[in-house]
Amino acid sequence: MSKETFKEFIKTKPELAKAVLEGKTTYQKLYETFDLYGKDSSVFSSFAEKEIDQKKSSNALQEVTNMFRNIDLDTIQKGVIGLQKAVSLIEDIVPKGNNSSNNIPPYEERPINRYYED
């Protein structure tokens, strides 16, 4: 196979050029594979699958950013204000200084030699 046919093949498969730029492979290895197995080798399809996986992950990131863009901040603010009002109402209802643990007298240890309250 000639170099010109390999160049045309690389132009049709940009994921191979990207793999070379990222350092995953070299043009020499790709050319040898192309020369031995032809353009329909499964090696070339594995680079395409990796490219598709990367596109899926970037699409997921775009979906997340779009989801955050569609959030209505006014609605969230109204919800937070409602929660603050509910918490302040509960704080007003529950007395702050009256805990049941405060009404218990402190523990006094009895002397060891006294068995009865003599």
Side-chain angles (χ1 to χ4, degrees):
M1 303 242 174
S2 71
K3 291 180 186 177
E4 297 303 320
T5 56
F6 177 69
K7 287 181 181 180
E8 292 299 320
F9 174 72
I10 291 294
K11 288 179 183 177
T12 62
K13 303 276 187 178
E15 63 270 5
L16 297 176
K18 187 175 182 182
V20 171
L21 290 175
E22 291 175 353
K24 296 178 182 176
T25 188
T26 62
Y27 281 116
Q28 180 67 36
K29 289 180 183 178
L30 290 175
Y31 179 74
E32 290 172 359
T33 306
F34 179 78
D35 192 30
L36 290 174
Y37 301 110
K39 64 181 178 180
D40 297 327
S41 175
S42 63
V43 173
F44 302 124
S45 63
S46 68
F47 285 106
E49 290 173 3
K50 291 176 186 176
E51 185 72 21
I52 290 171
D53 290 341
Q54 289 176 352
K55 286 181 181 179
K56 285 182 182 178
S57 66
S58 67
N59 286 341
L61 181 62
Q62 287 176 353
E63 289 177 12
V64 169
T65 55
N66 288 338
M67 184 176 62
F68 281 117
R69 287 180 186 162
N70 294 333
I71 292 176
D72 185 17
L73 295 178
D74 293 331
T75 306
I76 292 174
Q77 185 176 8
K78 288 177 185 177
V80 169
I81 290 171
L83 285 173
Q84 287 176 341
K85 288 180 181 179
V87 167
S88 66
L89 181 66
I90 291 172
E91 285 178 348
D92 291 342
I93 292 174
V94 175
K96 295 178 184 175
N98 293 338
N99 289 340
S100 60
S101 63
N102 290 342
N103 296 335
I104 299 174
Y107 176 74
E108 294 179 18
E109 190 173 329
R110 293 187 337 175
I112 296 174
N113 58 358
R114 294 184 70 188
Y115 296 110
Y116 303 105
E117 296 295 327
D118 304 307

